[in-house]
Amino acid sequence: RMAASVAANVARFGLSSTRARCHRVGRGRISRAARGYAAADEASTHTDEALLSETSRAEGWDELELGALRRHYAREGWVVVRRLVTRDAVDALHAATDALEAEAAAFTRSRRERGVYFEVQSGSGRKGDPAVAPGVLRKITSPSKRSKAFASLTTHANVRAVCAQLCGVSDGARRRGTADRSSSMRCVVDQVNLKHPAGAGTGFPWHQDVSFLKPDARAACEAHGGCNAVVAMDPSHEGNGGFVVLGGTHRLGEKFSQTRDAYDGAADVSGNVFDLSRRFCPRLEPGDAIFFHPALAHGSGTNHSPERRRIATLWFVGAGD
Protein backbone atom coordinates (compact mmCIF):
# COMPACT_ATOMS: atom_id res chain seq x y z
CA ARG A 1 0.00 0.00 0.00
CA MET A 2 2.84 2.42 0.84
CA ALA A 3 4.64 1.68 -2.45
CA ALA A 4 1.45 2.34 -4.39
CA SER A 5 0.98 5.64 -2.55
CA VAL A 6 4.55 6.74 -3.29
CA ALA A 7 4.14 5.79 -6.94
CA ALA A 8 0.94 7.81 -7.16
CA ASN A 9 2.59 10.88 -5.66
CA VAL A 10 5.58 10.64 -7.99
CA ALA A 11 3.32 10.23 -10.99
CA ARG A 12 1.27 13.22 -9.87
CA PHE A 13 3.99 15.67 -8.97
CA GLY A 14 6.97 14.39 -10.98
CA LEU A 15 9.23 14.66 -7.93
CA SER A 16 11.63 12.00 -6.67
CA SER A 17 11.59 12.16 -2.88
CA THR A 18 15.21 12.20 -1.85
CA ARG A 19 14.03 11.80 1.73
CA ALA A 20 12.93 8.24 1.16
CA ARG A 21 15.64 7.48 -1.37
CA CYS A 22 18.55 8.44 0.90
CA HIS A 23 17.94 5.40 3.10
CA ARG A 24 20.64 2.76 2.92
CA VAL A 25 19.42 -0.59 1.68
CA GLY A 26 21.12 -3.91 2.20
CA ARG A 27 22.83 -6.02 -0.42
CA GLY A 28 20.30 -7.26 -2.96
CA ARG A 29 17.38 -5.40 -1.36
CA ILE A 30 15.29 -2.54 -2.71
CA SER A 31 13.35 -0.28 -0.37
CA ARG A 32 9.56 0.03 -0.59
CA ALA A 33 9.99 3.62 -1.75
CA ALA A 34 12.38 2.54 -4.50
CA ARG A 35 9.88 -0.02 -5.75
CA GLY A 36 7.30 2.78 -5.87
CA TYR A 37 9.56 4.93 -8.05
CA ALA A 38 10.28 2.01 -10.34
CA ALA A 39 6.53 1.52 -10.80
CA ALA A 40 6.05 5.22 -11.51
CA ASP A 41 8.89 5.13 -14.04
CA GLU A 42 7.35 2.14 -15.79
CA ALA A 43 4.03 3.95 -15.93
CA SER A 44 5.66 7.09 -17.34
CA THR A 45 6.91 5.18 -20.38
CA HIS A 46 3.29 4.60 -21.40
CA THR A 47 2.15 8.23 -21.26
CA ASP A 48 2.63 11.25 -23.48
CA GLU A 49 3.95 13.43 -20.67
CA ALA A 50 7.05 15.30 -21.79
CA LEU A 51 10.44 14.93 -20.14
CA LEU A 52 12.97 17.75 -20.28
CA SER A 53 16.61 17.07 -19.47
CA GLU A 54 17.96 20.63 -19.40
CA THR A 55 17.02 24.26 -18.96
CA SER A 56 18.67 27.58 -19.71
CA ARG A 57 17.52 29.33 -16.53
CA ALA A 58 17.54 28.69 -12.79
CA GLU A 59 14.12 30.11 -11.94
CA GLY A 60 10.97 31.38 -13.61
CA TRP A 61 9.91 28.22 -15.44
CA ASP A 62 6.35 28.02 -16.68
CA GLU A 63 4.17 25.18 -15.46
CA LEU A 64 4.79 22.92 -18.46
CA GLU A 65 8.58 23.33 -18.38
CA LEU A 66 8.75 22.86 -14.62
CA GLY A 67 6.69 19.68 -14.79
CA ALA A 68 8.81 18.25 -17.62
CA LEU A 69 12.06 19.00 -15.77
CA ARG A 70 10.75 17.46 -12.55
CA ARG A 71 9.59 14.33 -14.35
CA HIS A 72 12.99 13.91 -15.96
CA TYR A 73 14.72 14.33 -12.61
CA ALA A 74 12.35 11.80 -11.04
CA ARG A 75 13.05 9.25 -13.76
CA GLU A 76 16.73 9.81 -14.61
CA GLY A 77 18.05 11.38 -11.40
CA TRP A 78 19.74 14.36 -13.08
CA VAL A 79 19.01 17.64 -14.87
CA VAL A 80 21.34 20.11 -16.64
CA VAL A 81 21.10 23.87 -16.06
CA ARG A 82 22.90 26.05 -18.59
CA ARG A 83 24.61 29.29 -17.49
CA LEU A 84 23.82 28.69 -13.85
CA VAL A 85 26.53 31.15 -12.79
CA THR A 86 28.13 34.04 -14.65
CA ARG A 87 31.52 34.14 -16.33
CA ASP A 88 32.71 36.56 -13.64
CA ALA A 89 31.80 34.01 -10.97
CA VAL A 90 33.71 31.31 -12.87
CA ASP A 91 36.73 33.60 -13.17
CA ALA A 92 36.64 34.14 -9.40
CA LEU A 93 36.59 30.35 -8.88
CA HIS A 94 39.59 30.03 -11.21
CA ALA A 95 41.53 32.64 -9.24
CA ALA A 96 40.69 30.98 -5.93
CA THR A 97 41.71 27.55 -7.23
CA ASP A 98 44.96 28.95 -8.64
CA ALA A 99 45.80 30.43 -5.22
CA LEU A 100 45.16 27.11 -3.45
CA GLU A 101 47.19 25.20 -6.03
CA ALA A 102 50.07 27.65 -5.58
CA GLU A 103 49.98 26.95 -1.85
CA ALA A 104 50.26 23.23 -2.57
CA ALA A 105 53.03 23.56 -5.15
CA ALA A 106 55.50 21.48 -3.12
CA PHE A 107 53.06 18.83 -1.81
CA THR A 108 53.88 15.24 -2.65
CA ARG A 109 51.40 13.70 -0.18
CA SER A 110 47.78 14.51 0.60
CA ARG A 111 47.39 16.79 3.63
CA ARG A 112 45.11 19.24 5.41
CA GLU A 113 46.11 22.89 5.75
CA ARG A 114 44.00 25.45 7.68
CA GLY A 115 40.74 23.62 7.12
CA VAL A 116 41.28 22.72 3.46
CA TYR A 117 42.19 19.17 2.41
CA PHE A 118 44.53 18.80 -0.56
CA GLU A 119 44.47 15.39 -2.23
CA VAL A 120 47.42 14.87 -4.56
CA GLN A 121 47.11 13.15 -7.91
CA SER A 122 48.86 9.80 -7.74
CA GLY A 123 49.65 7.65 -10.71
CA SER A 124 47.13 5.04 -9.57
CA GLY A 125 44.42 7.46 -8.44
CA ARG A 126 44.69 6.11 -4.86
CA LYS A 127 44.55 8.72 -2.13
CA GLY A 128 47.42 7.29 -0.09
CA ASP A 129 49.96 7.09 -2.91
CA PRO A 130 52.50 9.86 -3.64
CA ALA A 131 51.87 12.54 -6.24
CA VAL A 132 52.94 11.99 -9.82
CA ALA A 133 54.86 15.26 -9.39
CA PRO A 134 55.03 17.89 -6.63
CA GLY A 135 51.91 20.04 -6.49
CA VAL A 136 49.76 18.02 -8.87
CA LEU A 137 46.33 17.82 -7.23
CA ARG A 138 43.32 15.56 -7.79
CA LYS A 139 40.88 17.18 -5.37
CA ILE A 140 40.58 20.17 -3.03
CA THR A 141 37.98 19.69 -0.27
CA SER A 142 36.34 22.57 1.61
CA PRO A 143 37.79 25.45 -0.44
CA SER A 144 34.90 27.56 0.90
CA LYS A 145 36.69 27.73 4.26
CA ARG A 146 39.41 29.84 2.68
CA SER A 147 37.82 31.34 -0.43
CA LYS A 148 35.03 33.88 -0.73
CA ALA A 149 34.34 32.72 -4.29
CA PHE A 150 33.60 29.16 -3.21
CA ALA A 151 31.73 30.32 -0.10
CA SER A 152 29.50 32.43 -2.36
CA LEU A 153 28.88 29.45 -4.62
CA THR A 154 27.58 27.37 -1.70
CA THR A 155 24.95 30.05 -0.96
CA HIS A 156 24.23 31.08 -4.56
CA ALA A 157 20.53 31.77 -5.05
CA ASN A 158 20.41 29.99 -8.42
CA VAL A 159 21.98 26.83 -7.03
CA ARG A 160 19.57 26.65 -4.11
CA ALA A 161 16.54 27.48 -6.26
CA VAL A 162 17.22 24.50 -8.53
CA CYS A 163 17.74 22.19 -5.54
CA ALA A 164 14.44 23.28 -4.00
CA GLN A 165 12.20 23.73 -7.02
CA LEU A 166 13.43 21.09 -9.48
CA CYS A 167 15.00 18.49 -7.21
CA GLY A 168 12.55 18.50 -4.31
CA VAL A 169 14.92 19.44 -1.48
CA SER A 170 13.02 20.96 1.44
CA ASP A 171 14.14 24.51 2.17
CA GLY A 172 12.53 25.52 5.44
CA ALA A 173 12.78 29.29 4.96
CA ARG A 174 11.27 29.24 1.47
CA ARG A 175 8.52 26.86 2.53
CA ARG A 176 7.62 29.12 5.45
CA GLY A 177 7.50 32.13 3.15
CA THR A 178 9.65 34.22 5.46
CA ALA A 179 10.22 37.86 4.69
CA ASP A 180 13.98 37.62 4.25
CA ARG A 181 13.68 34.58 1.92
CA SER A 182 16.93 33.20 3.37
CA SER A 183 17.71 29.55 2.69
CA SER A 184 18.08 27.02 5.47
CA MET A 185 19.21 24.05 3.38
CA ARG A 186 22.85 23.23 4.09
CA CYS A 187 25.83 22.67 1.82
CA VAL A 188 27.61 19.83 3.62
CA VAL A 189 30.42 19.21 1.10
CA ASP A 190 32.19 21.50 -1.34
CA GLN A 191 35.14 20.45 -3.48
CA VAL A 192 37.14 21.12 -6.61
CA ASN A 193 37.91 18.05 -8.71
CA LEU A 194 40.87 18.58 -10.99
CA LYS A 195 41.83 16.59 -14.07
CA HIS A 196 45.29 17.40 -15.36
CA PRO A 197 45.87 16.81 -19.09
CA ALA A 198 47.69 14.14 -21.09
CA GLY A 199 46.60 11.22 -18.93
CA ALA A 200 47.78 12.64 -15.59
CA GLY A 201 44.22 13.23 -14.34
CA THR A 202 42.85 9.78 -13.60
CA GLY A 203 39.18 8.86 -13.45
CA PHE A 204 36.76 8.30 -10.59
CA PRO A 205 35.08 4.87 -10.33
CA TRP A 206 31.31 4.50 -10.24
CA HIS A 207 29.97 5.48 -6.83
CA GLN A 208 27.00 7.07 -5.04
CA ASP A 209 27.65 10.15 -2.92
CA VAL A 210 25.01 9.17 -0.36
CA SER A 211 27.42 6.46 0.86
CA PHE A 212 29.87 9.16 1.99
CA LEU A 213 27.50 11.42 3.93
CA LYS A 214 28.33 11.90 7.61
CA PRO A 215 25.63 10.76 10.08
CA ASP A 216 24.06 14.17 10.70
CA ALA A 217 23.96 15.01 6.99
CA ARG A 218 22.57 11.57 6.24
CA ALA A 219 19.79 12.10 8.76
CA ALA A 220 18.92 15.48 7.20
CA CYS A 221 18.94 13.91 3.74
CA GLU A 222 16.60 11.15 4.85
CA ALA A 223 14.26 13.60 6.57
CA HIS A 224 14.29 16.57 4.19
CA GLY A 225 15.91 15.49 0.92
CA GLY A 226 19.24 16.11 -0.71
CA CYS A 227 20.72 17.11 -4.06
CA ASN A 228 24.25 17.41 -5.43
CA ALA A 229 25.55 19.78 -8.09
CA VAL A 230 28.55 19.87 -10.39
CA VAL A 231 29.44 23.31 -11.77
CA ALA A 232 31.83 23.32 -14.73
CA MET A 233 34.84 25.59 -14.35
CA ASP A 234 36.33 24.50 -17.70
CA PRO A 235 34.71 22.78 -20.68
CA SER A 236 33.77 19.25 -19.61
CA HIS A 237 33.07 16.48 -22.09
CA GLU A 238 33.76 12.87 -22.97
CA GLY A 239 37.21 13.65 -24.37
CA ASN A 240 38.68 15.21 -21.21
CA GLY A 241 37.34 12.89 -18.53
CA GLY A 242 33.99 14.63 -18.24
CA PHE A 243 31.46 13.94 -15.50
CA VAL A 244 29.30 10.88 -16.29
CA VAL A 245 25.96 9.83 -14.75
CA LEU A 246 24.10 6.52 -14.96
CA GLY A 247 20.48 7.48 -15.41
CA GLY A 248 17.88 5.78 -13.23
CA THR A 249 20.31 4.15 -10.82
CA HIS A 250 19.08 6.33 -7.93
CA ARG A 251 15.92 4.22 -7.73
CA LEU A 252 17.66 0.85 -7.45
CA GLY A 253 19.18 1.05 -3.98
CA GLU A 254 22.54 1.95 -2.51
CA LYS A 255 25.41 -0.36 -3.47
CA PHE A 256 27.30 0.45 -0.29
CA SER A 257 29.47 -2.65 0.05
CA GLN A 258 30.31 -2.87 -3.65
CA THR A 259 31.39 0.74 -4.18
CA ARG A 260 32.41 2.65 -1.08
CA ASP A 261 34.94 0.11 0.14
CA ALA A 262 36.56 0.02 -3.31
CA TYR A 263 36.40 3.76 -3.98
CA ASP A 264 39.99 4.44 -3.01
CA GLY A 265 41.26 1.86 -5.48
CA ALA A 266 42.51 2.57 -8.97
CA ALA A 267 39.66 4.03 -10.97
CA ASP A 268 37.89 1.68 -13.35
CA VAL A 269 34.60 2.90 -14.77
CA SER A 270 33.84 -0.35 -16.61
CA GLY A 271 32.50 -2.27 -13.61
CA ASN A 272 29.20 -4.14 -13.72
CA VAL A 273 27.76 -3.07 -10.36
CA PHE A 274 25.34 -0.63 -12.01
CA ASP A 275 23.17 -0.59 -15.10
CA LEU A 276 25.16 1.30 -17.76
CA SER A 277 22.38 1.44 -20.35
CA ARG A 278 21.49 5.08 -19.56
CA ARG A 279 25.06 6.34 -19.28
CA PHE A 280 25.29 10.06 -20.08
CA CYS A 281 28.20 12.49 -20.23
CA PRO A 282 26.89 16.05 -20.64
CA ARG A 283 28.93 18.55 -22.60
CA LEU A 284 29.25 21.46 -20.18
CA GLU A 285 30.68 24.93 -20.73
CA PRO A 286 32.06 27.04 -17.86
CA GLY A 287 29.14 28.12 -15.68
CA ASP A 288 26.89 25.23 -16.75
CA ALA A 289 25.85 22.70 -14.10
CA ILE A 290 24.34 19.28 -13.67
CA PHE A 291 22.22 18.56 -10.59
CA PHE A 292 21.82 14.96 -9.52
CA HIS A 293 20.29 12.74 -6.85
CA PRO A 294 22.65 11.73 -3.98
CA ALA A 295 22.00 8.05 -4.78
CA LEU A 296 22.66 8.40 -8.53
CA ALA A 297 25.71 6.41 -9.63
CA HIS A 298 28.32 8.53 -11.39
CA GLY A 299 32.03 8.65 -12.18
CA SER A 300 34.46 9.77 -14.86
CA GLY A 301 37.35 8.62 -17.01
CA THR A 302 40.95 9.69 -17.42
CA ASN A 303 41.69 13.03 -19.07
CA HIS A 304 43.64 12.13 -22.21
CA SER A 305 43.14 15.56 -23.78
CA PRO A 306 45.68 18.43 -23.82
CA GLU A 307 43.37 20.63 -21.70
CA ARG A 308 42.64 20.92 -17.99
CA ARG A 309 39.25 19.98 -16.61
CA ARG A 310 38.08 21.42 -13.28
CA ILE A 311 34.64 21.17 -11.72
CA ALA A 312 33.19 22.46 -8.45
CA THR A 313 31.03 19.94 -6.59
CA LEU A 314 28.43 20.80 -3.95
CA TRP A 315 26.31 18.50 -1.76
CA PHE A 316 23.12 19.91 -0.23
CA VAL A 317 20.73 18.52 2.38
CA GLY A 318 17.34 19.96 3.20
CA ALA A 319 15.85 21.54 6.30
CA GLY A 320 12.45 21.33 8.00
CA ASP A 321 9.90 24.06 8.50
Side-chain angles (χ1 to χ4, degrees):
R1 184 178 297 175
M2 181 179 291
S5 174
V6 172
N9 286 336
V10 172
R12 179 183 177 191
F13 297 110
L15 283 172
S16 176
S17 171
T18 51
R19 305 172 200 182
R21 290 298 307 115
C22 282
H23 286 291
R24 181 177 302 161
V25 296
R27 186 180 304 173
R29 296 173 56 202
I30 301 178
S31 71
R32 286 177 291 178
R35 289 196 294 271
Y37 299 134
D41 178 52
E42 180 69 18
S44 73
T45 64
H46 296 92
T47 71
D48 294 327
E49 289 186 302
L51 301 178
L52 189 60
S53 64
E54 68 173 69
T55 178
S56 60
R57 53 185 179 271
E59 283 191 294
W61 309 279
D62 62 36
E63 184 176 347
L64 290 177
E65 184 180 12
L66 181 60
L69 289 164
R70 286 175 168 176
R71 284 189 293 273
H72 184 274
Y73 186 82
R75 174 174 171 166
E76 297 298 316
W78 60 267
V79 66
V80 170
V81 180
R82 303 292 179 187
R83 298 182 293 279
L84 179 77
V85 298
T86 65
R87 185 69 217 199
D88 286 346
V90 173
D91 289 343
L93 296 175
H94 286 168
T97 302
D98 289 346
L100 290 168
E101 286 191 276
E103 180 180 331
F107 292 180
T108 59
R109 293 279 183 177
S110 300
R111 57 195 282 187
R112 187 178 303 277
E113 290 287 339
R114 293 190 292 152
V116 176
Y117 185 76
F118 298 88
E119 181 180 331
V120 300
Q121 175 64 67
S122 64
S124 66
R126 295 186 179 94
K127 185 185 297 186
D129 290 351
V132 293
V136 178
L137 299 177
R138 174 178 170 85
K139 188 186 297 185
I140 303 172
T141 300
S142 301
S144 64
K145 292 184 177 180
R146 304 259 300 278
S147 160
K148 290 183 178 179
F150 281 99
S152 295
L153 187 63
T154 67
T155 60
H156 199 290
N158 286 354
V159 177
R160 290 170 178 257
V162 173
C163 288
Q165 297 179 45
L166 292 189
C167 306
V169 181
S170 178
D171 187 347
R174 286 179 179 269
R175 288 170 64 90
R176 288 192 303 268
T178 55
D180 63 8
R181 305 290 288 170
S182 60
S183 171
S184 56
M185 72 172 68
R186 289 187 293 141
C187 180
V188 295
V189 172
D190 65 283
Q191 298 174 328
V192 183
N193 291 354
L194 306 98
K195 290 273 187 79
H196 290 269
T202 58
F204 289 79
W206 300 127
H207 63 284
Q208 296 162 296
D209 290 343
V210 67
S211 298
F212 299 86
L213 285 172
K214 293 182 178 179
D216 66 327
R218 178 114 193 183
C221 184
E222 292 173 354
H224 307 297
C227 180
N228 298 353
V230 159
V231 180
M233 296 169 56
D234 301 305
S236 176
H237 50 79
E238 196 80 65
N240 65 1
F243 185 80
V244 180
V245 292
L246 300 180
T249 53
H250 62 303
R251 298 187 318 279
L252 303 178
E254 182 185 356
K255 308 296 184 181
F256 179 81
S257 60
Q258 298 99 312
T259 57
R260 176 169 178 166
D261 294 345
Y263 181 72
D264 196 31
D268 178 3
V269 297
S270 62
N272 59 2
V273 175
F274 298 103
D275 178 5
L276 308 184
S277 63
R278 277 138 75 173
R279 179 188 184 279
F280 177 66
C281 180
R283 178 174 286 272
L284 302 175
E285 295 300 323
D288 291 348
I290 180 168
F291 289 76
F292 60 100
H293 194 287
L296 187 74
H298 59 282
S300 63
T302 298
N303 181 8
H304 294 291
S305 79
E307 60 193 33
R308 299 182 72 188
R309 194 232 65 178
R310 294 165 292 180
I311 58 174
T313 64
L314 308 169
W315 300 9
F316 290 93
V317 296
D321 294 340

